[in-house]
Amino acid sequence: MLTELAPRLVNSGYDVTVYVRNPYTGGKKGQWEYNGVKLISLPCIRNKYLETPIFTFVALFHSLKYNFDVYYFHAVVTGMFIPFARLFGKRVLLQTHGLDWKREKWGIISKAIIKLSTFLGIKFANIVTSVSLEEVNYFSERYRKLIYHTPNGISMPETVTMTDEIKKFNIEADRYILFLSRLVPEKGCHFLIEAYNKLENNLKKKYKLVIAGDTQYKDKYYYSLKSNESENIIFTGFAVGELKRQLLSHAAVFVQPSTMEGMPLAVLEAMAYGLPVIGSDIQEISDIIVDKSLLFKSGNTADLTEKLNLVLTNQSFYKSLAELKKSEVINKYDWNSITKIISNLIEKL
């Protein structure tokens, strides 16, 4: 949102300010500009449960001195503060990114708080938009309120021929399966590892499994995944910049085995790079994946192994098919089109 949507809103004539958290700014503090977007950095508590709510609270009350016209909240967990914004006469646009209480990392109390926050956010926001059709349908039916659909956008892929970054991990072009996501339970990386281990030895010898991701808070789940690290199962950590471009440019197949999502940007990016994409059959993925034949039953590792075997033994066919479809994905999820949708919603406020 910061690197793609916000600058485009500036180019559309809006004065945009974004609040960012100190630990994620590369050491920058205070205020500065990025592509015309004003950034305000504030400290935050590094805590799995409290970081987002407390930061949102601090940012909201810090912002009151600037007399902003519109507040653009992201994620239902921030919704608990929308009534305060409305109390001060602010117009609010809320964008949801998934049914967050379903995430496996939350306990009973956290789930209850997120559900309450969801209710408050949708009830008091002037306009609500969601990234997936599942959310649109769910919130529309539950809250009897008009919910707009605003999908994630993608930029033009930067396909590269260089392989120097992936070679640092002993990875060869077209000889690996790619997972690119956070290492949290709902992303389903454990299903992929299990399915990969069920492949025939000749395929495992030819294709490695590359897990490009990490997690902010190291927990038992993270260490259970890392215990599988080997010569054939490679963990790169978070992939950004040139490493990410090379991974997406040279993978044999991309896999998204999530059990719940908002709208997986990684799937859109992989399809834009012309990669065959195997995904779980949850609605958030099935709504966007181009080749429906590569959907597998969520959580079913035998089915996932079968799909991996199908693509890896017919790689040229599935690569060619994905290449033919990538322009369709790029055009459908173009950031300029998404920006127009958001701009129209802002004007409704």
Side-chain angles (χ1 to χ4, degrees):
M1 292 296 177
L2 172 59
T3 58
E4 300 292 347
L5 177 60
R8 284 177 170 83
L9 287 173
V10 170
N11 292 335
S12 298
Y14 296 100
D15 184 5
V16 180
T17 300
V18 177
Y19 277 85
V20 295
R21 308 177 199 185
N22 277 353
Y24 311 104
T25 61
K28 282 191 174 182
K29 296 181 180 180
Q31 301 183 25
W32 68 96
E33 285 196 8
Y34 169 82
N35 288 346
V37 181
K38 298 180 180 67
L39 302 180
I40 299 177
S41 177
L42 296 178
C44 70
I45 296 174
R46 299 294 298 275
N47 180 279
K48 178 179 178 179
Y49 302 99
L50 300 176
E51 181 173 329
T52 297
I54 291 178
F55 179 79
T56 304
F57 174 81
V58 172
L60 172 60
F61 282 92
H62 183 275
S63 72
L64 294 176
K65 63 183 179 181
Y66 292 106
N67 197 31
F68 295 124
D69 298 309
V70 173
Y71 281 66
Y72 189 3
F73 283 75
H74 284 268
V76 294
V77 72
T78 67
M80 66 181 77
F81 301 106
I82 290 177
F84 293 102
R86 294 298 309 280
L87 187 64
F88 285 98
K90 306 302 180 182
R91 290 168 288 173
V92 177
L93 170 63
L94 169 64
Q95 182 160 338
T96 72
H97 294 268
L99 307 179
D100 287 351
W101 61 88
K102 290 187 176 182
R103 300 187 191 278
E104 295 181 39
K105 64 181 178 180
W106 302 124
I108 295 175
I109 295 176
S110 296
K111 289 177 185 289
I113 292 172
I114 293 171
K115 286 183 178 181
L116 174 61
S117 183
T118 301
F119 167 77
L120 292 172
I122 293 177
K123 177 74 173 177
F124 287 95
N126 297 92
I127 291 178
V128 180
T129 181
S130 299
V131 295
S132 75
L133 290 173
E134 184 192 25
E135 293 171 72
V136 171
N137 295 333
Y138 177 85
F139 291 135
S140 296
E141 292 178 10
R142 184 168 182 82
Y143 296 103
R144 303 298 179 187
K145 184 170 183 173
L146 175 62
I147 309 295
Y148 294 89
H149 180 220
T150 310
N152 285 325
I154 51 174
S155 301
M156 284 294 293
E158 300 177 54
T159 305
V160 295
T161 57
M162 295 290 290
T163 58
D164 56 310
E165 290 297 324
I166 63 175
K167 282 182 177 178
K168 293 177 182 178
F169 295 93
N170 198 26
I171 301 168
E172 295 181 32
D174 300 315
R175 290 292 181 266
Y176 60 93
I177 301 158
L178 179 61
F179 172 90
L180 180 66
S181 189
R182 291 177 295 117
L183 302 184
V184 291
E186 64 266 21
K187 295 296 183 180
C189 185
H190 54 294
F191 295 129
L192 177 55
I193 292 173
E194 184 178 340
Y196 175 79
N197 285 330
K198 291 179 180 178
L199 285 172
E200 294 181 4
N201 287 332
N202 64 316
L203 285 177
K204 285 191 288 187
K205 185 176 181 180
K206 186 176 182 180
Y207 296 98
K208 295 182 178 182
L209 172 58
V210 176
I211 298 170
D214 210 323
T215 183
Q216 185 178 345
Y217 300 104
K218 305 296 190 286
D219 54 15
K220 289 182 180 179
Y221 179 75
Y222 168 81
Y223 289 112
S224 71
L225 295 179
K226 286 284 285 183
S227 68
N228 294 280
E229 192 167 17
S230 66
E231 183 180 345
N232 268 37
I233 300 179
I234 299 167
F235 288 76
T236 68
F238 281 125
V240 296
E242 184 62 17
L243 173 59
K244 182 180 179 181
R245 286 189 287 271
Q246 290 187 19
L247 286 171
L248 286 167
S249 295
H250 301 296
V253 60
F254 182 91
V255 183
Q256 189 75 39
S258 307
T259 55
M260 73 87 60
E261 280 286 355
M263 184 181 187
L265 184 57
V267 170
L268 297 180
E269 290 178 323
M271 292 191 296
Y273 270 83
L275 293 180
V277 175
I278 298 173
S280 59
D281 63 354
I282 61 174
Q283 185 179 340
E284 300 95 327
I285 293 177
S286 62
D287 279 344
I288 63 174
I289 199 168
V290 171
D291 190 347
K292 309 296 185 188
S293 70
L294 296 183
L295 291 169
F296 71 94
K297 187 171 179 58
S298 181
N300 188 323
T301 56
D303 194 14
L304 176 51
T305 300
E306 185 178 325
K307 292 297 190 294
L308 284 169
N309 182 71
L310 179 66
V311 174
L312 296 177
T313 54
N314 299 277
Q315 189 181 359
S316 59
F317 170 77
Y318 283 101
K319 274 270 193 175
S320 299
L321 187 61
E323 279 288 335
L324 288 173
K325 293 288 186 178
K326 72 178 186 180
S327 60
E328 175 185 326
V329 174
I330 293 169
N331 292 332
K332 185 174 182 180
Y333 298 102
D334 171 58
W335 266 118
N336 292 324
S337 300
I338 306 303
T339 302
K340 288 180 182 178
I341 297 173
I342 295 295
S343 179
N344 289 336
L345 293 179
I346 291 172
E347 292 303 314
K348 289 178 182 290
L349 293 168

